[in-house]
Structure formats: structure tokens, C-alpha cells
Amino acid sequence: MRVVITGGAGFVGSHLVERYLRDGHEVVAIDNLCTGSLRNLDDASENPRLTFVRADAAMPLPVRGQVDLVLHFSSPASLVDYTRLALETLAVNSAGTGHACDLAERHGARLLFASTSEVYGDPHVHPQPESYWGNVNPVGERACYDEAKRFGEALITTRMRKGPLDARIVRIFNTYGPRMAENDGRAVPNFFAQALAGKPLTVYGDGNQTRSFTYVDDLVEGIVRLAAHPEARGAIVNIGNPEETTIAAAAAIIAEAAGVAFHVEHRPLPPDDPARRKPDIARARALLGWEPATPLREGITRTLAWWRSARGYST
Ligand SMILES: NC(=O)c1ccc[n+]([C@@H]2O[C@H](COP(=O)([O-])OP(=O)(O)OC[C@H]3O[C@@H](n4cnc5c(N)ncnc54)[C@H](O)[C@@H]3O)[C@@H](O)[C@H]2O)c1
């Protein structure tokens, strides 16, 4: 198979690149490096079945030759990044999603779109099943991301109604693991960087807001299964860990795993920060036989080991 992965030099994208190469496929990774890094592809770049194309995925995708699967993963993904790149975020998830549809349709390839739990906004339904429409502020600071992903979903589902496109949508919940960006404002990387630098861990609000943390290998497994499923045209699937963890508890586990004292510094909550987030994964279980396999402590220990070796922390 020849797989095109937009956002291939990002955190999740680079793990997908490695997984498809490991499974014996050819991979074309497209990235403009606005939030990703070629360092994320250091190991993969030695593989002759990988082609890297530096290009803006908000524009028509410059891919020639056979295409069997398109994974549209390019998008700034953290509050810090999509606030800085707000218009680019809107573009890559709207026009860019249209170009990803065009490429897939032209080649009779499947498309898988990386959507997000943010489409549920600050949810009134808990846990969130895929049938929940969400509670999103369409004009708030996060709208450039949340509404762009919602538009991407609307575009794909409309194009499937109007034409032959075979697409699937994964709604990704908070994912962590090796290679996540260090300073993008997300809770887990913040905690790692602060714990390893011996600083107090910054907790926004009282820390009782919950998240579900998924280890990246588990996410990749869910994505690969959804993309490969022979009868999942049009499927929209939550992939995330249904085990709810408070932000304060996650901070404590990271401090303990890093072997540092647990000091917290509280800061005000950012606007529209969701209070609770937990996926209903009944559909992933039934359709894909998927559920997360990596307990939080184990995933944190693995991430910490990578953080120390790749980022040179000595603590
Ligand atoms: N990591 C998570 O917890 C999470 C949660 C929900 C959804 N997602 C989605 O998964 C995808 C990957 O997220 P990530 O965490 O790996 O983020 P990331 O920032 O590490 O990766 C995104 C990649 O896309 C590239 N990119 C962005 N805009 C581009 C453009 N216009 N053209 C070409 N390349 C572009 C960036 O340079 C980067 O390499 C995103 O679509 C994100 O919305 C991630």
C-alpha cells in the first residue's frame, strides 16, 4: 500500500509514519514543519520506503503516483499553537480537508481525518458518545480549532453523501507519548518539562477538571484498525482512554515517576477550558475490537525514559 500522511513530521503523524513503514508499506509524509520537526522522522528517514515532501497541506497536495490511503493529520493541535496559527488552522482543516478529499477521490483511495474530542466543546453529556453534537463556542478563542475540525467533519460527510469518497473520521482524545512537543502548553508535556527541570508543576484552576490520557501507541493501533476496516465507510469513532483522571492526579503521577517532590503552582483556567472530558468508546470496542492497552503509569514511565534520552534531561 502507498500511504500519504499529512502532518507526518508531527507528534502523532511521525508515529503513524513509523507504524506504516514497519507494516511494510510505502509512506509519503507531507508537512510544512509549522509545529512539527524533521527530528521526529530521524529514525524513519533511514527507510527508503519513506518520502518526505515539505508542503502546505492547505493547498492541493503535491503527490504523484499510486495512492491507497490518505491520513489527513496536519493541523496545529494545542491551544498555544492554534492561537498563534489561527488562520492557518482554519485553512488546513477546511480547504486542506477538501484537498485531502480530492486526492483520495482521484485515486480511489480511502481517507481518514484526524478530528478531535474538542468537537464536543465543554460537554453537557458525559461520557461523550459520537452521537453527541457538542457544546462549542463558535466565536471564542478555541473556535479556530474546534469549529475548523467540525467543518472538516461536515465537509467529509457531505462529500460522501454526494460522491464515491470512502472516508472515516477519528475523534482523538488527549494523547501523550514520546515526541510530543515540549512547550506547546498541553498539560502532560508541561508537567514532564517542569518535573524534570525541578520546577513546580503548573495546574490551571483547582486541578479537578478531568481528562482522559491515551498513550500514543494505543491511538495509532485504533487509527490503523479504523483505516483498514473493510466496512467502515462513513464511520466516526472516538479513540481515547475512558479512564478519567484529574489534571492534579496526572501531575502527581508524573512527579512520582520522575522521582521529584510534588509542588504545584495554580494559575487561572484559560477561557472555555472544558471541565470534564471522557470518551464513550463503545463504538471503537464493537467496530474495531479496540480499547487502550497501556495503563497511565506505564505510558508515563515510557515517555519519561524517552524524554530523558532524547531531550537530555539528567534528573
Ligand atoms: N495529540 C493529541 O492529543 C490530539 C488530540 C486530538 C486531535 N489531534 C489531531 O491529531 C493531529 C496531529 O496532532 P499532533 O498532536 O501530532 O500535533 P503536531 O503539532 O505535533 O502535529 C501536526 C503536524 O502538522 C503539521 N502541519 C500543520 N499545519 C500544516 C499545513 N498547513 N501543512 C502541512 N503541515 C502542517 C505540523 O508541522 C506538524 O508536524 C492534528 O490534526 C490534531 O488536531 C491530536
Side-chain angles (χ1 to χ4, degrees):
M1 215 171 39
R2 191 153 178 264
V3 185
V4 173
I5 304 179
T6 75
F11 161 49
V12 177
S14 62
H15 285 274
L16 285 166
V17 167
E18 284 183 358
R19 170 64 187 264
Y20 280 101
L21 288 174
R22 206 177 321 124
D23 289 352
H25 302 295
E26 259 186 69
V27 175
V28 180
I30 299 181
D31 206 297
N32 68 356
L33 305 178
C34 67
T35 61
S37 164
L38 280 180
R39 277 198 313 274
N40 290 335
L41 293 175
D42 271 353
D43 294 342
S45 63
E46 285 167 22
N47 192 315
R49 280 182 281 108
L50 172 66
T51 307
F52 177 78
V53 181
R54 187 165 182 170
D56 182 355
M59 306 295 285
L61 294 170
V63 181
R64 290 211 187 82
Q66 179 193 340
V67 178
D68 302 292
L69 174 64
V70 179
L71 303 174
H72 186 42
F73 274 66
S74 53
S75 170
S78 70
L79 182 62
V80 168
D81 286 336
Y82 59 69
T83 302
R84 178 172 59 91
L85 298 166
L87 295 171
E88 291 85 346
T89 303
L90 284 161
V92 77
N93 287 294
S94 53
T97 301
H99 296 307
C101 291
D102 290 344
L103 182 70
E105 226 170 50
R106 219 168 35 241
H107 291 269
R110 268 185 202 156
L111 170 68
L112 189 141
F113 176 54
S115 186
T116 168
S117 57
E118 303 286 339
V119 300
Y120 301 122
D122 191 357
H124 291 157
V125 169
H126 202 75
Q128 295 85 51
E130 291 86 348
S131 55
Y132 178 50
W133 294 351
N135 172 41
V136 175
N137 176 354
V139 292
E141 276 178 30
R142 292 165 178 262
C144 62
Y145 183 68
D146 304 2
E147 292 293 9
K149 291 290 187 186
R150 289 166 66 97
F151 179 85
E153 291 197 7
L155 179 61
I156 285 171
T157 45
T158 305
R159 286 197 50 160
M160 275 191 296
R161 271 181 218 118
K162 301 265 179 196
L165 180 68
D166 176 347
R168 294 106 200 264
I169 294 171
V170 57
R171 290 186 181 152
I172 301 170
F173 284 65
N174 277 17
T175 301
Y176 70 98
R179 297 203 287 264
M180 63 189 165
E182 189 166 347
N183 295 316
D184 71 0
R186 283 188 262 198
V188 171
N190 255 0
F191 293 156
F192 276 113
Q194 291 170 330
L196 289 171
K199 293 185 184 158
L201 278 58
T202 311
V203 169
Y204 293 92
D206 61 9
N208 287 326
Q209 67 274 36
T210 65
R211 293 291 182 272
S212 74
F213 297 105
T214 314
Y215 189 64
V216 66
D217 289 359
D218 291 341
L219 169 67
V220 165
E221 182 60 35
I223 290 167
V224 168
R225 288 188 195 189
L226 178 58
H229 197 293
E231 280 154 24
R233 180 178 186 265
I236 300 170
V237 182
N238 286 338
I239 295 287
N241 190 342
E243 197 179 303
E244 218 173 348
T245 311
T246 66
I247 290 283
I253 293 172
I254 291 170
E256 189 194 322
V260 298
F262 181 43
H263 298 302
V264 170
E265 190 177 292
H266 287 277
R267 298 243 181 97
L269 273 178
D272 301 328
D273 193 60
R276 295 181 79 186
R277 203 39 94 49
K278 172 180 167 166
D280 176 331
I281 61 163
R283 188 175 290 172
R285 282 199 175 104
L287 184 70
L288 311 174
W290 179 90
E291 58 183 10
T294 314
L296 186 58
R297 275 172 203 279
E298 186 185 323
I300 281 176
T301 304
R302 281 200 233 164
T303 308
L304 208 52
W306 175 85
W307 206 281
R308 285 188 168 119
S309 70
R311 295 207 164 132
Y313 284 93
S314 53
T315 19

